Amino acid sequence: MQESEAKNHLTVYHRVGCHLCDEMVALLAEFQDELDFGFVLVDIDADADLKARFNADVPVVAWGERILFWHFFDEAILRQALQHG
């Protein structure tokens, strides 16, 4: 991830050992260069508040305070958010 060069930064709330989380990260990585974004992984199990908020919903992809999608990757929503704000 070349976050310092990307204009847009996403946050992926995840947990270790979550297969849906691993799939989400892999799919996001496929679109990084094309859509010019970076992302950071935040392990919800390391933060009690995040675990309480997202426990049953990981993975969750957020852009700033806006949650774009959870559980499953959504290319259309990703494109719309990053291309149109």
Side-chain angles (χ1 to χ4, degrees):
M1 285 178 273
Q2 298 174 344
E3 296 171 82
S4 61
E5 297 175 16
K7 293 185 290 186
N8 298 301
H9 300 279
L10 304 178
T11 303
V12 180
Y13 296 99
H14 76 110
R15 69 171 22 115
V16 175
C18 166
H19 73 279
L20 288 178
C21 299
D22 295 341
E23 290 174 16
M24 182 72 75
V25 169
L27 287 164
L28 286 170
E30 288 182 26
F31 289 89
Q32 259 188 301
D33 289 339
E34 176 188 347
L35 298 178
D36 189 26
F37 68 91
F39 61 90
V40 294
L41 300 176
V42 176
D43 184 353
I44 66 162
D45 292 323
D47 181 302
D49 291 336
L50 290 176
K51 186 173 181 178
R53 182 176 177 196
F54 296 127
N55 189 47
D57 292 324
V58 292
V60 175
V61 176
W63 184 35
E65 296 297 315
R66 180 177 164 199
I67 292 176
L68 298 180
F69 41 86
W70 55 91
H71 300 291
F72 303 103
F73 179 79
D74 190 316
E75 181 183 345
I77 290 173
L78 180 67
R79 285 183 182 281
Q80 180 180 13
L82 296 178
Q83 293 175 343
H84 304 292

